[in-house]
Amino acid sequence: MLENLDKIKIEDPVEIIISQIRELIISGAVKPGEKLPPERKLAEKMGVSRNQVREAINKLRFYGIVKVQPQSGTIVTGMGTIALEGLISDILKLEQVDFKSLVATRLLLEKEAARLAALHRTKDDLIQLSNALDRYENKLLESGVAVEEDLLFHIKIAEAGKNTVLKSLMMIITPDIVKSYINLKVCDDKNNRKTIDEHRDILSMIADQNPEGAMEAMNQHLTDVQAFIQ
Amino acid sequence: MLENLDKIKIEDPVEIIISQIRELIISGAVKPGEKLPPERKLAEKMGVSRNQVREAINKLRFYGIVKVQPQSGTIVTGMGTIALEGLISDILKLEQVDFKSLVATRLLLEKEAARLAALHRTKDDLIQLSNALDRYENKLLESGVAVEEDLLFHIKIAEAGKNTVLKSLMMIITPDIVKSYINLKVCDDKNNRKTIDEHRDILSMIADQNPEGAMEAMNQHLTDVQAFIQ
DNA sequence: AAACTATATTTGGTTGACCAATTATTGGTT
DNA sequence: AACCAATAATTGGTCAACCAAATATAGTTT
């Protein structure tokens, strides 16, 4: 009998507050550049504590939707409406990502990162990459699993490419990659040898300053991983 | 005489706290899966208020580095160390992005988005894109500036591509694009006609389901914008 | 001794009051 | 009337005390 009852979705108060503020902005009541009502007023109007309003504003600030000026007010930034369009309810933070999109996007970013690394790597970058690769191999042979070290190597590649934005984006999706990989148990002993070789291939292409080769090596590596998962 | 004095970089307390917690994690004192010391202890040890520790933990939670369990404790997630490597001091949030990296990365994402849109667009997507384009043109001809509407059109393209992660990433860098464009005054009357035509080209390629053409049209469009800036 | 229950402690969350910087208002001076 | 300085009100930031849930501890029973 009890299993007929639907689970009640308890909604986080701050999410409700966010959507209320969102309404204020997209309805045009508060236009970009203007100030939001003060925290106290918002709290009073909505009948909640000021701290909760505060936390909601914090989140909005995090996404760059508003900008707070201490002792003055919080102004909504110009582009706010764009981000808000997507904020409908999926609290951003690329939650609930579908795996296909994730790996496809990763492939795109990683290939470019490898290409750029081949073009712009310095001697110091090569040392860093080599060290990261060593750490990866040691950890893998030792404990059989080295997801983090693996991805750290990839991050180092992005660093060598000298494109800060690309690196940031890779770091943003990395947590989700890790999560997916752990869930799907990517790591398998018989694959270790192969992935190590592939990593070395990538590094050598970068060392040779061969952008197309690096891109292709990365492509090979990731499609291998991809194939293994499916 | 006074201009000889260096500006003192006043560091935000919570950033210091973050780096301290970061030290705890990467030093291995608190391993992934384990609990962080309670907020009160951290506050006492560092000689700061609990609220500041609290805010630091909030930020770490945003980045997915820790996960708080109310009335129990805050555990560090497995992938935390990776993100922390890059968190050294540049407060993430792709602050202080260099413009070159930004436009280069945008080009990469937008081209792929256009390609995917040509492959996967539905009839409804075409309607949405057409509407977005209309809004852009109207706003541009009316007020002479339509940065937001411009980017909203691009976001719609990403949506039509059906790759959620790619869209999220585009939404992440969009605010910085807007900021840069406004600062550099991209919009200019004599360019309006051209950009409108280019937008229409992109849309028609997507409508024709021509992925290579869409990619090339997008490439053309963005390199034009890029050239105008420099 | 083991298992369970009741109590005490610890933990993150919440609240209301206070602080300093900013902004608005007021009164006076030129 | 215009400008300016002094004061009052407002605002986001900070803090210490309190709350309820989760956990650890002690006590009791079997």
Side-chain angles (χ1 to χ4, degrees), chain A:
Chain A
M1 189 215 280
L2 284 169
E3 49 272 8
N4 285 349
L5 300 173
D6 283 342
K7 180 172 182 205
I8 297 175
K9 186 185 165 198
I10 186 78
E11 193 136 13
D12 186 354
V14 312
E15 294 305 332
I16 301 175
I17 299 172
I18 286 181
S19 70
Q20 298 249 15
I21 297 178
R22 173 178 165 275
E23 209 61 37
L24 274 181
I25 298 177
I26 65 177
S27 75
V30 183
K31 297 194 188 70
E34 292 181 353
K35 277 188 203 162
L36 227 53
E39 298 177 352
R40 288 172 174 84
K41 297 279 172 59
L42 286 172
E44 190 184 356
K45 279 281 181 193
M46 302 185 192
V48 296
S49 158
R50 192 178 144 221
N51 273 32
Q52 301 189 302
V53 174
R54 198 139 222 289
E55 219 169 299
I57 291 179
N58 257 336
K59 273 198 176 177
L60 293 176
R61 177 173 60 172
F62 202 75
Y63 296 128
I65 293 165
V66 300
K67 182 171 166 56
V68 310
Q69 294 175 323
Q71 277 74 34
S72 168
T74 55
I75 66 175
V76 311
T77 66
M79 53 58 61
T81 47
I82 295 176
L84 281 170
E85 287 271 339
L87 251 183
I88 316 286
S89 174
D90 51 4
I91 324 299
L92 198 52
K93 272 302 280 177
L94 23 145
E95 290 188 285
Q96 219 176 356
V97 297
D98 61 304
F99 192 66
K100 265 185 67 180
S101 294
L102 189 60
V103 292
T105 308
R106 187 196 177 192
L107 183 62
L108 179 72
L109 297 183
E110 294 270 15
K111 276 165 66 179
E112 180 70 3
R115 194 179 70 84
L116 292 176
L119 288 173
H120 302 131
R121 100 284 189 286
T122 64
K123 284 174 200 159
D124 184 60
D125 288 325
L126 289 181
I127 297 172
Q128 298 256 0
L129 282 167
S130 183
N131 289 340
L133 188 50
D134 286 344
R135 280 197 296 273
Y136 168 66
E137 294 184 5
N138 290 336
K139 181 79 187 303
L140 191 59
L141 298 175
E142 185 182 297
S143 69
V145 53
V147 182
E148 290 189 29
E149 285 74 13
D150 180 1
L151 293 167
L152 244 124
F153 175 70
H154 287 263
I155 298 274
K156 286 289 177 199
I157 292 176
E159 256 170 38
K162 307 286 184 300
N163 182 320
T164 55
V165 177
L166 188 61
K167 183 194 160 201
S168 293
L169 293 185
M170 278 183 52
M171 284 178 48
I172 287 171
I173 67 169
T174 296
D176 294 277
I177 301 270
V178 177
K179 210 184 300 172
S180 305
Y181 278 25
I182 289 175
N183 287 344
L184 295 163
K185 297 187 184 27
V186 168
C187 303
D188 196 3
D189 283 346
K190 58 178 180 284
N191 273 58
N192 288 351
R193 196 68 240 160
K194 195 174 179 186
T195 58
I196 289 179
D197 286 340
E198 287 172 346
H199 275 191
R200 283 184 180 153
D201 284 345
I202 296 168
L203 179 52
S204 93
M205 288 296 182
I206 292 173
D208 290 348
Q209 301 188 302
N210 179 347
E212 269 70 29
M215 211 161 120
E216 185 44 45
M218 180 63 81
N219 188 50
Q220 185 63 42
H221 173 48
L222 290 182
T223 47
D224 272 4
V225 175
Q226 217 165 328
F228 175 68
I229 292 169
Q230 288 159 355

Side-chain angles (χ1 to χ4, degrees), chain A residues 139 148, chain B residues 21-37 65-67 74-81 84:
Chain A
K139 181 79 187 303
E148 290 189 29
Chain B
I21 296 178
R22 174 177 164 274
E23 209 61 37
L24 273 182
I25 298 177
I26 64 176
S27 75
V30 183
K31 297 194 188 72
E34 292 182 353
K35 277 188 203 163
L36 227 53
I65 292 164
V66 301
K67 182 170 166 58
T74 53
I75 66 174
V76 312
T77 66
M79 53 60 59
T81 46
L84 282 170

